[in-house]
Amino acid sequence: MKNDYILLTPGPLSTSTTVREAMLKDWCTWDDDYNKDIVEVIRDKLVKIATAASDYTCVLMQGSGTAAVEATIGSVISNQGKLLVIDNGVYGARMAQIAQCLNIPYHVISSAEMVPPNLEQIEDVLKNDTTISHIAIVHCETTTGMLNPIADVILLAKRFNKVVILDAMSSFGGIPMDIGDLGVDFMISSANKCIQGVPGFGFVIAKRSQIEKCQGLARSLSLDLYDQWHHMEINQGKWRFTSPTHTVRAFYQALIELEQEGGITERHQRYQCNQQNLVAGMRELGFETLLDDSLHSPIITSFYSPSHHDYQFKIFYQRLKDLGFVIYPGKVSHSDCFRIGTIGEVYPDDIKRLITVVKTAMYWNV
């Protein structure tokens, strides 16, 4: 079935016909053809995509990406630990909110949504607060589309022997990186992002030595990261509770299609081409980007809303949707903007068509 529109969002995103078709069969969760031949293959493939290092493992968690973030924060920090959250957007702030809800001691270093993290400020906090045990940072902050300098932050964290939690929700699978080389201890992402699957589960790729320390630390039954991992380890892919079978099978297909495309390097190049063509075309139409080009990721781009008194985002959004494209509202606190994603089953020709459609939908210029 053909979709009525392309999702230009950071997830859920547009998927291929073959990924959607993969959900048309039911699966028994007791059988090897599901647990060994699908779940275990997914876990192995994800680790190999993430790093060349041999000391990492993977666990899949039912629910949204945020559920996987909460499972990680709530399962890896002991009662004697403390979390340092680097916050320059909605998703950094959400990690602090999770810590607060779970009664985990935490400290937040906040910067404006359009400003990268301040390394000197991070270093100062680490020097003066020795109770901090873990550091959490978002790789691509989809509030704005900013790509945070994770290598510099992680290097600093390791100087002070801190455990690193990386929210790579909207970047993993679309931006080349080796989390082993970086020194990441726990990396979190979701099925419905750059791997181009559908919503239903998240996953955590972790250093085996770190996740083995987490037994008994979880503050939730269903979001117990260690117990879920241990259960999958000893039962060869069996989930503790109901597995999102159709989503899992679609993700397996999405991983095959990532390989067919040429892996992360080729997908990254396609996303970059999408984003660069988008920015060039939107600027020709008079739109301005929120961020400087040096801060852009290939994932999503924020644009200032037109200043014309007749402009309303809802009308602009609906006109674009009627013409086959769905964009995102803005999330920046002090700037009126909207966002356009460039990931998923989206190609440069789609972006060219979008620019033509945007010109048509600019009703305030008539």
Side-chain angles (χ1 to χ4, degrees), residues 135-184:
I135 295 179
I137 185 171
V138 176
H139 187 195
C140 178
E141 182 50 81
T142 53
T143 305
T144 58
M146 182 183 296
L147 202 60
N148 279 326
I150 58 169
D152 293 335
V153 173
I154 294 170
L155 188 63
L156 187 56
K158 291 305 173 181
R159 273 182 47 202
F160 290 88
N161 297 314
K162 308 304 178 187
V163 176
V164 174
I165 299 170
L166 178 65
D167 177 341
M169 199 65 59
S170 60
S171 61
F172 178 72
I175 297 177
M177 60 178 167
D178 187 311
I179 64 171
D181 290 345
L182 286 168
V184 175

Side-chain angles (χ1 to χ4, degrees), residues 44 102 108 275 304-305 320 340:
D44 182 64
L102 297 178
V108 181
Q275 195 270 343
Y304 284 108
S305 296
L320 290 177
I340 301 180

Side-chain angles (χ1 to χ4, degrees), residues 39-40 43 47 55-62 71 75 186 204-215 221-240:
V39 178
E40 287 294 86
R43 293 177 67 210
V47 171
D55 57 340
Y56 281 80
T57 185
C58 179
V59 55
L60 314 181
M61 296 293 299
Q62 299 95 326
S75 299
F186 297 91
V204 181
I205 301 171
K207 281 186 179 177
R208 185 175 292 272
S209 59
Q210 287 293 341
I211 201 168
E212 287 173 345
K213 297 176 183 178
C214 297
Q215 185 175 10
L221 173 65
S222 60
L223 297 181
D224 186 332
L225 190 71
Y226 172 85
D227 205 34
Q228 180 92 332
W229 169 77
H230 184 65
H231 196 84
M232 286 185 171
E233 284 282 291
I234 64 174
N235 293 292
Q236 296 180 300
K238 186 76 173 64
W239 301 57
R240 288 184 302 155

Side-chain angles (χ1 to χ4, degrees), residues 35 38 51 65 81 98 101 112 124 157 206 221 230 280 290 313 324 354-355:
N35 294 316
I38 297 178
T51 181
I98 288 169
C101 288
D124 185 61
L221 173 65
H230 184 65
L290 183 73
F313 175 76
L354 169 68
I355 298 303

